[in-house]
Amino acid sequence: MKRKGIHSPTIEDAIEISGIETLHPGGFDLTKRTAEVAELKPGMRVLDVSSGRGTQAIFYAENYGVHVTGLDISEKMIQSAADSARLSGISDRVSFILGDSQALPFSDNSFDAVINECAVGIPDDSQQVLNEMLRVVKPGGTVVIHESIWKSKLSYREKEELSERYGTTPLEPEEWNRMLQKAGAVNIISEHEEWSKPERFWKVRKDREVTHYTKVLTLRERLVTLKRITQKYGIKGVTKAMENEKVFYQAVLDGKIGYGLYTGIKDSSKFA
């Protein structure tokens, strides 16, 4: 189930329009956990798929001594990430290139670990994203993803509505497992409960702690964002954005939507 063509801002759209750098649910706590389960060590070659502004890729290089390649489909994001790496003084260990996560521009078996933080579910073909991640990681190498999940049994109609409001499509935890297996991953381990706690969902700011979803944006940031939404979508767009926010986060509080971390190893026999 993928989003239909709609003309009102989703949660993801509103965040993008805000211009504020936000992280995935769980914030740097989950990024640190991602590095732990990937067993990042100095000298490893790591691919960060859909690397965005490069925040996580830079974090890995600075804290674990790995060499990171970040890939994103947005030229704007690539430029922003490269600028951040230069300012951090680690351009020798982090590089960013333009590319599609559904057709990675790398040879088979190129990386020791491949990571995708919160962006497997955005492209049209999530299975192909996973297929490509497993293709370019070395045999026995680690693939780590984290993505939104359905935490309770919902009707197709309710899932569709919440996905439209969110801007991405959560899957059942078992679906992510099956897709990773199909891509060639074995020894899959998943963590759901800790990262599905509501307070984890609004822990998304790099610059400060957030204790509630209404505090993700400051009052000034919220006013600027609403102004930008008005300019792009009109007053109806503002109304819809506020409605989406209320409905979506209530679904998080009600335990309908959660978040999961998945770790798998490339099955060398499948790619022999």
Side-chain angles (χ1 to χ4, degrees):
M1 174 172 54
K2 289 291 181 185
R3 290 177 57 206
K4 299 176 181 178
I6 58 177
H7 302 285
S8 59
T10 65
I11 299 293
E12 292 287 344
D13 291 332
I15 291 172
E16 183 66 25
I17 289 170
S18 75
I20 305 299
E21 183 174 6
T22 58
L23 307 174
H24 46 70
F28 276 124
D29 286 349
L30 183 50
T31 293
K32 292 174 184 176
R33 180 60 182 154
T34 298
E36 290 174 1
V37 298
E39 299 184 346
L40 299 187
K41 297 179 178 63
M44 288 177 65
R45 293 193 65 211
V46 178
L47 174 63
D48 182 14
V49 180
S50 299
S51 51
R53 292 183 172 88
T55 305
Q56 286 81 14
I58 292 170
F59 177 87
Y60 296 140
E62 286 182 328
N63 291 276
Y64 298 91
V66 295
H67 295 267
V68 188
T69 299
L71 174 137
D72 202 273
I73 201 167
S74 165
E75 290 187 24
K76 181 179 179 181
M77 291 295 184
I78 291 297
Q79 185 59 57
S80 176
D83 290 344
S84 294
R86 185 174 60 256
L87 289 172
S88 298
I90 56 168
S91 295
D92 60 326
R93 284 189 282 130
V94 185
S95 61
F96 297 94
I97 66 170
L98 191 68
D100 186 348
S101 61
Q102 298 169 108
L104 297 175
F106 307 108
S107 301
D108 297 356
N109 311 321
S110 295
F111 298 92
D112 299 299
V114 179
I115 293 167
N116 189 314
E117 299 199 49
C118 198
V120 180
I122 294 177
D124 292 333
D125 191 343
S126 299
Q127 182 64 64
Q128 181 59 20
V129 174
L130 295 176
N131 292 346
E132 283 290 276
M133 290 176 66
L134 266 297
R135 178 182 66 80
V136 301
V137 75
K138 295 177 181 179
T142 305
V143 168
V144 186
I145 69 169
H146 37 88
E147 275 293 344
S148 300
I149 59 173
W150 300 118
K151 282 289 292 175
S152 59
K153 297 298 181 183
L154 306 177
S155 67
Y156 178 87
R157 186 171 181 176
E158 188 171 7
K159 287 181 178 180
E160 188 175 48
E161 177 193 349
L162 288 172
S163 296
E164 293 272 1
R165 294 182 186 277
Y166 192 1
T168 190
T169 303
L171 294 178
E172 301 282 349
E174 297 77 13
E175 289 183 272
W176 287 119
N177 273 313
R178 287 196 297 269
M179 291 170 68
L180 280 163
Q181 290 172 355
K182 184 177 181 180
V186 295
N187 301 332
I188 299 169
I189 299 173
S190 59
E191 300 176 8
H192 301 132
E193 296 306 320
E194 178 67 16
W195 307 111
S196 291
K197 293 178 179 178
E199 58 267 27
R200 293 288 191 180
F201 253 89
W202 23 94
K203 194 172 185 180
V204 297
R205 291 298 293 263
K206 175 184 177 182
D207 53 346
R208 57 186 173 81
E209 283 288 317
V210 177
T211 57
H212 193 270
Y213 79 86
T214 59
K215 305 297 183 182
V216 171
L217 299 181
T218 65
L219 177 59
R220 183 179 181 280
E221 290 169 345
R222 182 175 288 272
L223 291 174
V224 170
T225 300
L226 291 176
K227 180 179 179 181
R228 291 175 178 175
I229 291 174
T230 302
Q231 292 171 340
K232 185 170 183 178
Y233 295 96
I235 295 299
K236 289 184 178 179
V238 171
T239 301
K240 188 65 175 180
M242 294 176 71
E243 177 188 307
N244 286 344
E245 180 184 57
K246 181 178 179 181
V247 173
F248 171 73
Y249 284 113
Q250 189 59 51
V252 175
L253 290 170
D254 290 342
K256 295 178 179 180
I257 294 176
Y259 208 64
L261 172 71
Y262 294 82
T263 309
I265 304 298
K266 181 171 182 174
D267 183 358
S268 55
S269 65
K270 181 179 177 66
F271 296 86

